[in-house]
Amino acid sequence: MHALPRDRFAPDRLWAWGGDAYVPVGRAAAPDEWDELLYADPDAAAVTQVRRATSSLSCRAVVVDMLDSLLLEPGHRVLELSTGTGWNAALAAARAGAGDGDGDGRITSVEVDPRSPGPPAIGSRGTPPGFGSRPATGTWARPTTG
């Protein structure tokens, strides 16, 4: 986790609960408050979007437990649903390997929300070594019954 800190994957605007509503906190405008939203509490998610449904950068404690429970080893393949900021996918790729460089990575992560911060946020702060991403979004279809 130290090699892939959350701030490299967080969008420039996070949201903090202001008592009545969420309020935006900008990386440039309020860097200390922005950092605190990311790192102060290992059991708190960082809210990355606010609208009908919110989106967040999962809390560190859950991510660590989830990846530990997965027992991920080099060479394993993973399908992650809901890429979000790409942080979890990057952590998984660091463990399993990012692939052979021909676009056939070991970690496949799919995001349905085109407004999600997603892996493009990674590129603006430098892609971690050995982690390639090809951002893509899709739609889910409910199967029909005959």
Side-chain angles (χ1 to χ4, degrees):
M1 288 184 95
H2 295 293
L4 297 168
R6 290 174 94 196
D7 57 273
R8 288 184 62 185
F9 297 87
D12 290 333
R13 181 176 58 193
L14 297 175
W15 297 84
W17 183 248
D20 296 327
Y22 282 99
V23 294
V25 177
R27 183 191 300 247
D32 292 339
E33 186 179 356
W34 187 89
D35 278 347
E36 192 156 322
L37 288 172
L38 281 179
Y39 292 113
D41 183 354
D43 295 317
V47 178
T48 59
Q49 292 180 18
V50 177
R51 55 179 195 278
R52 237 174 100 202
T54 62
S55 182
S56 66
L57 181 55
S58 299
C59 72
R60 293 175 287 160
V62 168
V63 170
V64 167
D65 286 346
M66 180 178 57
L67 290 174
D68 186 52
S69 296
L70 186 57
L71 302 174
L72 192 58
E73 295 187 18
H76 283 176
R77 292 186 178 273
V78 174
L79 171 62
E80 175 189 56
L81 303 178
S82 191
T83 303
T85 65
W87 183 52
N88 190 67
L91 292 170
R95 177 55 78 77
D100 54 16
D102 67 358
D104 184 27
R106 292 188 178 91
I107 307 302
T108 299
S109 190
V110 178
E111 176 59 61
V112 69
D113 184 354
R115 295 170 293 187
S116 177
I122 299 167
S124 67
R125 287 178 266 298
T127 302
F131 178 71
S133 76
R134 291 185 308 171
T137 58
T139 58
W140 299 102
R142 188 177 298 253
T144 58
T145 57

